[in-house]
Amino acid sequence: WDQVRFLAGEVLEVSAVGASGEQLAPQDTLTLTGRCQNGSLFRLLITRQASMRYRLLVRGESGEAMLTVEADAVGAAQTSWHCNDSSGQERWTWQPWPDLVNEFEKAISGLPTAIGWHDATRCLEVFDAVRNSVRRRRVISLQYDEVSEAANFKTVMATLGCLSLLL
């Protein structure tokens, strides 16, 4: 979800359809569609195939770009693009594990990391919306509250009010 959020902003709506109906199993094909903060739409098709590779295709008014990555620990990666008047292709070897270990070491030592709690929370909210969309068979809207001192104050006061009612 980080790639979708990077390209188009926060995910505002999600609709998901699984092959098994209202349940979501790991081996199922899943179709996701949604709308992002900048108005762009996305569609993801997640399948289990014998040759595992990940593809990210981005289409716009001026053209399209595709990133293809092999799913094994170290594999080939390729980017190709087609725009109004140009096209190209680039290949390289993809090695995600050294970067992941570096980020983990930063987190343990208390240094700032590339992915924070805000990103992790947003991803979990989208995963939960996808699961609810499959179960309920409808579009799920995501509501993001602005983090501010006033919002934190209201949360603390509401919690203290509920606690005083319990006592």
Side-chain angles (χ1 to χ4, degrees), residues 2-104:
D2 283 337
Q3 290 86 4
V4 172
R5 288 179 60 225
F6 175 76
L7 292 171
E10 298 292 348
V11 177
L12 299 179
E13 293 179 345
V14 163
S15 175
V17 178
S20 299
E22 294 181 9
Q23 297 297 324
L24 193 57
Q27 69 274 8
D28 285 347
T29 298
L30 184 68
T31 303
L32 299 167
T33 56
R35 185 173 58 89
C36 292
Q37 191 174 23
N38 70 356
S40 62
L41 303 173
F42 66 88
R43 182 181 64 205
L44 301 170
L45 177 65
I46 302 171
T47 62
R48 292 202 65 164
Q49 301 172 349
S51 64
M52 290 296 292
R53 80 173 41 145
Y54 303 111
R55 286 191 308 182
L56 175 64
L57 175 65
V58 179
R59 286 191 178 131
E61 294 176 2
S62 301
E64 66 181 35
M66 181 170 29
L67 170 67
T68 306
V69 179
E70 297 295 327
D72 50 354
V74 178
Q78 173 180 319
T79 304
S80 59
W81 63 91
H82 307 284
C83 295
N84 290 337
D85 56 350
S86 68
S87 64
Q89 188 172 342
E90 216 176 293
R91 295 177 188 262
W92 70 94
T93 302
W94 182 58
Q95 297 179 338
W97 301 115
D99 292 335
L100 185 62
V101 169
N102 287 339
E103 289 296 314
F104 182 72

